[in-house]
Amino acid sequence: MSEIIIRKEGRAGRITLNRPKALNALSYEMCLETEKALDAWRHDDEVDLIVLDAEGDRAFCAGGDIADLYRSAQEQDYDYGRRFWSDEYRMNAKIAEYPKPVVAFLNGFVMGGGVGIGGHCAHRIVGESTQISMPECSIGFVPDVGGSYLLSKAPGRLGEYLGLTAARMGAGDAVHAGFADHFVPEAEWEALKARLVETGDITSLPVHAAPESPLKQTQDEIDALFSGEALIDVVNALRNSDSDFAVKSLKTIGRNAPLSMAVTIEMLHRLRMGQSDIRKALELEYRVCYRIMEHGDMIEGIRAAIIDKDRSPKWRHDLENVPAADISKMLLPLGKNALSFRERAMKIGFIGLGNMGGPMAANLAKEGHAVAGFDVAGTTAEGVASVNSAAEAAKDADVVITMLPNGEILRAVASDVIPAMSKGAVLLDCSTVDVASARAVAELCGAAELGFLDAPVSGGIGGAAGGTLTFMVGGTQTALDKAMPLFDIMGQKAVHCGEAGNGQAAKICNNMILGITMVGTCEAFALADKLGLSREAMFDVVSTSSGYSWSMNAYCPAPGVGPQSPADNDYQPGFAAELMLKDLRLSQQAAGAADADTPLGLAATELYETFVEQEDGKGRDFSAMLPRFAGRGRS
Ligand code: NAD
């Protein structure tokens, strides 16, 4: 039986935690599956809202699966925990920021990881059995999964009280403290879920008064006792009071990890300063996670609580003596190891490791993705595992990327890889090909329940190596969302141009303009030569007048004039004339198919055809049109 049940019902996406015997404690798998479902439904028109609930009546979710953390830390493997937390926190942020309503039904225990998945939803429903708490300080950890954010926003010093003592909140307290939104008697929950599923309409939430909040009655005392600058101030305030509440709180605090509580106070103070949001809180929490297994009390806390169950943890510090330096060490920024919210590493198949594909694949591998590459020429790329066929590269891949010479080859490769790909994976073609081939491959992918994107690039070999390409993307938003983290690595910008084929359409139109403006710029320089106007003067005028263009301003075809360009390197490409000819031919093929009148595009195509096929253009940069024009007369 699956630990989490994910399905679409009526107008809703439904996520049900399904480990009732383990009080629905959140496993790594459950975090990843939740994130996958959120990603899939983000732009799914059949899903208006998400309903999140849990099997069993004892707990919505009583925390995270900490036994695995303990086992990995025993083997000095701290990376497992870091990976788990960074994936879990990204999911927590996605829930908090989700563009569609997420309705969570928080029954029974809702602790730690349960607050992370249920406590940031837009509509948090609580009932008679609800018991919410952040108990991390009792196992030598700190309130995490964005819990520190909720604590920092709770009225007065409630955050400190709840974080340090792990006190449980019933429905009334949860609403008062900002951990829940609506009280609905649990007898009504099933009917309410059915209504949400049927209508997809969030406005049908019933309105009930929340029960009394005992915490609200105690708020003044809590504010007085828990407002100290540091843990020792709180401890002293509690010792100086003889109220039952203070005595009980002090007893609880006496059992919990001093370092954890001191760090928690510092975190809440920092989060209350200036603007904070869930990401800021998660990033702060992650600093602690990163270090606490090795340098804090967490492993000892887990041992005492759930491994040896002796309930006698030996904490590193006394309540009275947690040095400020130890607190700040836990919270120091992590530099390049900081929580990035970047998507989990993907399995990528990369087909076509030529001048462009090679460095693009290497950049993906460098960022931690598992890249399997194939090229008929046997070329490889750094960090990329070579495999023996395109189909092998595509097997089990989340995304298959192609970077191939033309549409015919793309179609042939697509017919090999599509049957090997898993449902839901995305075929991402970055080659420059004809619009018809892109659309034909998109159709094959659709029939195989795969996503497809045509995403030709601009930026050339330098952009491929430097990760600064611009992608012009055609295809669905869902496929684009999946590929976005890869575009972020390979390029600086991805522009969504609409449906499949539109990326190629944009590329072809752009490069037709480029071919035309380069020809125009070159013939104007040749004319200026013959009129006795210096190239320098011509550049100075045109680059700041209405004749300016990228061809003149950024890629000036005259050697020694304007910014550095292939003209300064004896017209070594750069962007080879034959590649420009390829793109211009694609523009004319598309114009023919669409019955578009493109006389200048046609003229540029013919000029580059002559240049490449009958003159000395092949292997030279496309701006070498300038010496061609300069050496000719009018006839
Ligand atoms: P390239 O010729 O260097 O690379 C293409 C690679 O595909 C080659 O290594 C080739 O062996 C491989 N290949 C061919 N058939 C294959 C098959 N059936 N299976 C696997 N591999 C196969 O070309 P490139 O410069 O890398 O350009 C790739 C694409 O990017 C082209 O569509 C091009 O128009 C476009 N593009 C290139 C530039 C540039 O400046 N080079 C700029 C923008 C776009």
Side-chain angles (χ1 to χ4, degrees):
M1 182 62 107
S2 172
E3 293 179 343
I4 186 162
I5 307 170
I6 291 181
R7 71 277 185 208
K8 289 202 280 189
E9 267 177 36
R11 302 297 311 163
R14 295 206 57 179
I15 301 175
T16 303
L17 310 183
N18 189 35
R19 290 181 80 196
K21 286 196 183 125
L23 298 183
N24 294 314
L26 213 55
S27 66
Y28 201 168
E29 201 52 35
M30 289 159 83
C31 290
L32 296 179
E33 288 298 311
T34 300
E35 181 180 27
K36 216 156 103 185
L38 292 173
D39 289 345
W41 294 333
R42 184 178 290 264
H43 299 288
D44 184 337
D45 292 340
E46 291 172 4
V47 173
D48 293 333
L49 50 76
I50 315 284
V51 174
L52 172 61
D53 62 2
E55 272 301 317
D57 44 14
R58 289 183 59 209
F60 167 75
C61 172
D65 213 347
I66 50 179
D68 280 345
L69 285 176
Y70 181 82
R71 277 189 288 273
S72 57
Q74 286 307 99
E75 291 159 16
Q76 319 287 310
D77 172 10
Y78 303 115
D79 283 341
Y80 169 81
R82 290 165 185 161
R83 216 170 35 245
F84 174 89
W85 278 311
S86 65
D87 285 337
E88 182 181 22
Y89 292 5
R90 192 181 58 245
M91 178 272 285
N92 298 147
K94 272 190 189 174
I95 287 196
E97 296 163 355
Y98 205 63
K100 296 179 180 181
V102 185
V103 191
F105 289 84
L106 306 176
N107 66 304
F109 292 118
V110 184
M111 297 157 82
V115 171
I117 186 168
H120 303 297
C121 299
H123 305 275
R124 301 159 299 178
I125 292 171
V126 283
E128 296 87 341
S129 70
T130 306
Q131 292 282 303
I132 301 182
S133 65
M134 294 303 291
E136 290 80 2
C137 286
S138 64
I139 57 156
F141 192 27
V142 294
D144 74 326
V145 292
S148 66
Y149 177 65
L150 297 174
L151 292 174
S152 75
K153 294 282 173 205
R157 298 300 173 145
L158 213 47
E160 280 86 340
Y161 167 68
L162 293 168
L164 268 52
T165 64
R168 291 177 184 168
M169 294 177 273
D173 283 341
V175 172
H176 172 66
F179 278 66
D181 303 294
H182 310 282
F183 170 77
V184 179
E186 286 168 29
E188 294 180 21
W189 283 16
E190 285 315 309
L192 173 57
K193 288 179 202 173
R195 206 159 62 238
L196 290 169
V197 163
E198 192 193 327
T199 63
D201 180 7
I202 195 66
T203 56
S204 62
L205 282 183
V207 181
H208 290 278
E212 286 280 288
S213 162
L215 280 181
K216 195 172 173 187
Q217 314 299 325
T218 329
Q219 182 80 51
D220 289 346
E221 190 176 3
I222 289 175
D223 291 350
L225 293 169
F226 284 84
S227 60
E229 276 297 300
L231 179 61
I232 189 64
D233 303 321
V234 173
V235 170
N236 285 337
L238 292 171
R239 282 178 180 156
N240 289 336
S241 167
D242 53 11
S243 79
D244 288 348
F245 176 79
V247 170
K248 202 168 148 227
S249 299
L250 185 60
K251 200 167 157 203
T252 311
I253 284 178
R255 285 196 297 266
N256 293 345
L259 178 63
S260 296
M261 292 188 288
V263 171
T264 299
I265 291 174
E266 177 63 20
M267 284 166 66
L268 299 187
H269 289 183
R270 289 194 194 184
L271 288 170
R272 288 199 194 103
M273 276 186 297
Q275 283 280 336
S276 73
D277 56 24
I278 181 146
R279 286 187 179 229
K280 191 167 172 203
L282 289 165
E283 193 267 320
L284 201 57
E285 293 165 1
Y286 187 71
R287 297 182 194 183
V288 184
C289 300
Y290 198 86
R291 304 177 167 108
I292 203 157
M293 283 182 293
E294 214 173 343
H295 305 295
D297 289 312
M298 185 169 186
I299 298 307
E300 171 62 5
I302 300 177
R303 181 204 64 71
I306 67 159
I307 307 292
D308 298 340
K309 297 194 171 113
D310 59 23
R311 309 212 169 269
S312 310
K314 301 202 174 23
W315 305 128
R316 290 176 191 233
H317 301 83
D318 298 329
L319 213 46
E320 294 79 8
N321 187 17
V322 184
D326 290 6
I327 301 169
S328 70
K329 254 191 241 165
M330 281 285 155
L331 290 166
L332 281 177
L334 286 167
K336 68 175 176 41
N337 295 317
L339 182 67
S340 70
F341 298 97
R342 196 178 290 148
E343 301 292 317
R344 186 173 61 95
M346 288 193 213
K347 259 191 106 189
I348 297 168
F350 207 114
I351 299 157
L353 301 168
N355 290 324
M356 297 290 288
M360 289 163 73
N363 281 339
L364 293 172
K366 205 159 55 192
E367 284 296 317
H369 293 294
V371 188
F374 172 70
D375 191 298
V376 277
T379 42
T380 55
E382 204 181 329
V384 172
S386 292
V387 294
N388 296 319
S389 69
E392 198 181 333
K395 191 169 175 299
D396 296 331
D398 298 296
V399 177
V400 174
I401 304 179
T402 45
M403 195 53 173
L404 297 162
N406 59 47
E408 200 182 326
I409 296 178
L410 169 67
R411 287 185 197 229
V413 168
S415 67
D416 280 349
V417 297
I418 288 174
M421 290 172 68
S422 320
K423 277 193 184 127
V426 171
L427 177 56
L428 165 57
D429 178 46
C430 297
S431 335
T432 305
V433 302
D434 55 292
V435 176
S437 291
R439 292 198 170 139
V441 174
E443 214 160 285
L444 292 176
C445 285
E449 295 181 48
L450 300 171
F452 173 80
L453 295 170
D454 54 304
V457 304
S458 130
I461 297 165
T468 56
L469 295 167
T470 295
F471 293 86
M472 300 150 229
V473 191
T476 63
Q477 185 68 46
T478 310
L480 177 61
D481 285 344
K482 185 152 187 178
M484 206 55 182
L486 307 184
F487 289 137
D488 285 343
I489 295 168
M490 298 187 290
Q492 58 182 350
K493 198 171 171 193
V495 182
H496 193 193
C497 303
E499 64 186 30
N502 283 13
Q504 298 296 351
K507 166 86 183 174
I508 286 168
C509 291
N510 180 72
N511 280 22
M512 188 174 84
I513 295 172
L514 177 62
I516 293 168
T517 57
M518 183 53 83
V519 168
T521 305
C522 292
E523 66 184 30
F525 266 119
L527 173 61
D529 287 347
K530 296 200 171 172
L531 297 176
L533 173 64
S534 81
R535 289 180 172 186
E536 196 65 57
M538 160 99 167
F539 175 83
D540 287 347
V541 171
V542 176
S543 65
T544 52
S545 300
S546 47
Y548 81 97
S549 68
W550 187 84
S551 297
M552 173 62 84
N553 290 38
Y555 206 91
C556 182
V561 177
Q564 275 282 324
S565 71
D568 300 308
N569 192 22
D570 200 22
Y571 296 102
Q572 296 292 313
F575 184 43
E578 57 268 33
L579 287 179
M580 174 47 89
L581 175 58
K582 171 191 166 183
D583 293 355
L584 285 168
R585 279 178 172 154
L586 289 175
S587 76
Q588 293 315 291
Q589 188 182 334
D595 190 28
D597 188 20
T598 56
L600 288 182
L602 176 62
T605 309
E606 287 169 355
L607 276 164
Y608 274 102
E609 215 158 58
T610 311
F611 187 48
V612 169
E613 293 178 354
Q614 295 166 33
E615 300 169 0
D616 64 346
K618 191 155 194 238
R620 303 186 80 193
D621 190 73
F622 83 121
S623 60
M625 272 286 170
L626 174 51
R628 175 192 186 274
F629 282 119
R632 303 164 63 93
R634 197 161 169 76
S635 54

